[in-house]
Amino acid sequence: MDHDLDKLIAWIDHRDAEAEQWLNEQAAERFNLKPESEMAAYIKDVLSSDLLPD
């Protein structure tokens, strides 16, 4: 029984993640923003660059 419950919870988590990704993409399109994954990569590059003072 616990194994079935774990499988159900994992399935719900997966569906929730897919729904969140879809909503992020829709918001990005609506407001002409880059997708979250591109923004995260951009922010990571900026923060790790030598352009920012220590």
Side-chain angles (χ1 to χ4, degrees), residues 42-54:
Y42 173 76
I43 291 169
K44 181 181 175 190
D45 287 344
V46 168
L47 293 177
S48 65
S49 76
D50 293 334
L51 298 175
L52 296 175
D54 288 334

Side-chain angles (χ1 to χ4, degrees), residues 3-37:
H3 180 66
D4 290 337
L5 184 57
D6 289 341
K7 286 181 8 181
L8 176 62
I9 291 171
W11 180 81
I12 291 170
D13 286 345
H14 179 70
R15 296 291 296 178
D16 185 46
E18 288 179 347
E20 184 177 356
Q21 180 63 33
W22 181 82
L23 286 172
N24 286 338
E25 290 170 1
Q26 297 304 308
E29 287 178 17
R30 180 174 181 184
F31 297 107
N32 294 323
L33 300 173
K34 293 185 179 199
E36 184 178 357
S37 60

